[in-house]
Amino acid sequence: MPSGLYLITDDNSDGSLFKRVESALKGGVRTVQYRAKEATADERFGMAQKLRKACHAAGAKLIINDFPELAKEIDADGVHLGQDDMSVSQARQMLGRDKIIGVSTHSVDQALKAESHGADYIALGSIFPTSSKDAPELVGIDALRKVRRAIRVPLVAIGGIDITGADLAIDAGADAVAVISSVMQDRSPGIAAREISLLFNRKLGRPRGRVLTIAGSDCGGGAGIQADLKTISLLGSYGSCVITALTAQNTLGVKGVFPIDSNFVTEQLNAVLDDIGTDTIKTGMLSWGGTVTRVAQAIRRHCLLAVVDPVMIAKGGAPLLDKEALDSLLSQMLPQAYLLTPNLPEAEKITGTKVRNLAEMEEAGRLLQDLGARNVLMKGGHLINDDAVDLLLIGDAKHELRSPRIETKNTHGTGCTYSSAIATFLAQGLPLLKAVEEAKKFIDLSIITAVESGKGHGSVNHVEAAFRYFHEHRS
């Protein structure tokens, strides 16, 4: 039965429909509804066959919209019927008892009727406004809640659904959310599909979601892989890791760096991704260009949401990224970054511009988006003002995240902890804005509760921050 992300196809006017659906399947689509009223019978048959093969290879279902004869002919998984189409019983007689039959509805009464007639799932819409000329009248999120309470079969929310609407629909009880343009018209259908499909992870038990951190080892335990795994585990997700470099460091600074051969980095990546898998990736210190390229390729191949922390300089000033790695970061990694999280010196290094205030933060962030990053979090800890202000750029929108500045030298591991917390909340089913807001609460708590450790910049306090977060701050 439909659950998770339900993709409805659009037209194939530019011939790219199959390629876009194939990308979306990599991003986690669980059901594809093939809709092609304007196509010829031969075109529908050929495309439906290709889609069936691709769906089944990805472990997804193919539902044919409005054409039960075509569904039978290609042995699709089921058919979707409108209010004016044949009855559920007629479709059942044509397709057989083992096929899925869904029905579009616009009210509680229609949903109850369809369920009583034997529908396997109910689609309700339009939940939100949509530009489609064929869209039914708006029913809204309250109607979704009422239908959820009234029926027992799976419920699919449909109509005008983007990441924000999907977030609301899932909380209102939808078992699946149906999308069209928010995935099919995105420049990266796979990533658009992935960010919506991950929202359903909120229904999982603990550990909730999987996070893979790809970074260097900090033997002092305050930053790098060690800080990432502490954060991921304490916040309730499953953490795995790929080590890109070994460092000899403590609170006084980095004493030495031993890069891991990029071939062995690839072996680690394959070992995790081919077996355990992951929902999100967090990258930190990538050391040199060969490693950056291998990691970027893996993110692209598996169509994963990557939180990229462009670690360049250690707290004590030691360089952690050579020129080859910087070039690879710009050309290979930035286009794969779902969220790039630079501090201001890192943003200046990448863009070649000065960043001294909020306006310049936005300007630099937009330049980073132009270089390929899908979304950017400009961390404003280096600004000279009373508040610590971060600027989150999600597409064309911007969001300011403010918190009181905390005067302390014990900030070792803040960047690693912040970015891994964001990746964790994404893996747990929060949309990006909420994930960043919750991560900022966590990182603020970890700085506030930091204790002296060593003679230099002490580490933030992951344990106390997690305790306070879950007892006091979780919204």
Side-chain angles (χ1 to χ4, degrees), residues 193-262:
R194 180 72 69 186
E195 67 175 347
I196 296 177
S197 65
L198 284 182
L199 298 179
F200 289 91
N201 278 6
R202 67 186 62 178
K203 298 183 177 183
L204 300 175
R206 294 193 185 277
R208 182 172 298 140
R210 302 160 297 170
V211 183
L212 168 61
T213 170
I214 306 171
S217 168
D218 173 5
C219 62
I225 286 287
Q226 286 80 358
D228 295 342
L229 289 176
K230 289 175 187 177
T231 301
I232 295 162
S233 297
L234 286 167
L235 290 177
S237 291
Y238 181 87
S240 56
C241 67
V242 168
I243 298 177
T244 60
L246 303 177
T247 69
Q249 64 175 295
N250 53 29
T251 65
L252 296 172
V254 177
K255 311 302 180 183
V257 177
F258 183 81
I260 303 299
D261 183 83
S262 60

Side-chain angles (χ1 to χ4, degrees), residues 5-11 17 20-21 24 29 31-36 51 62-65 80 104 121 123 156-161 177-185:
L5 185 56
Y6 184 117
L7 179 68
I8 301 175
T9 63
D10 56 9
D11 66 67
L17 184 144
R20 287 179 286 137
V21 172
V29 166
T31 304
V32 173
Q33 183 189 126
Y34 177 46
R35 186 178 66 174
L51 290 175
L62 176 65
I63 304 293
I64 303 297
N65 184 70
H80 187 84
S104 289
Y121 71 90
V156 181
I158 186 171
I161 293 178
V177 293
V179 297
I180 307 176
S181 59
S182 61
V183 169
M184 292 295 285
Q185 297 301 317

Side-chain angles (χ1 to χ4, degrees), residues 24-25 34 39 113 139 187 189 240 268 275 277 304 343 386 395 410 443-444 451 459:
L25 286 167
Y34 177 46
K113 181 180 178 181
V139 300
R187 63 184 174 92
S240 56
Q268 294 177 76
D275 179 26
L304 296 166
N343 60 31
D386 292 335
N410 298 316
I443 191 61
D444 285 348
V451 295
S459 171

Side-chain angles (χ1 to χ4, degrees), residues 140-169:
I141 203 78
D142 286 339
L144 183 66
R145 293 190 182 95
K146 291 176 182 177
V147 171
R148 175 69 285 163
R149 291 193 295 266
I151 66 171
R152 296 184 179 181
V153 296
L155 176 60
V156 181
I158 186 171
I161 293 178
D162 56 11
I163 185 73
T164 301
D167 182 40
L168 293 171

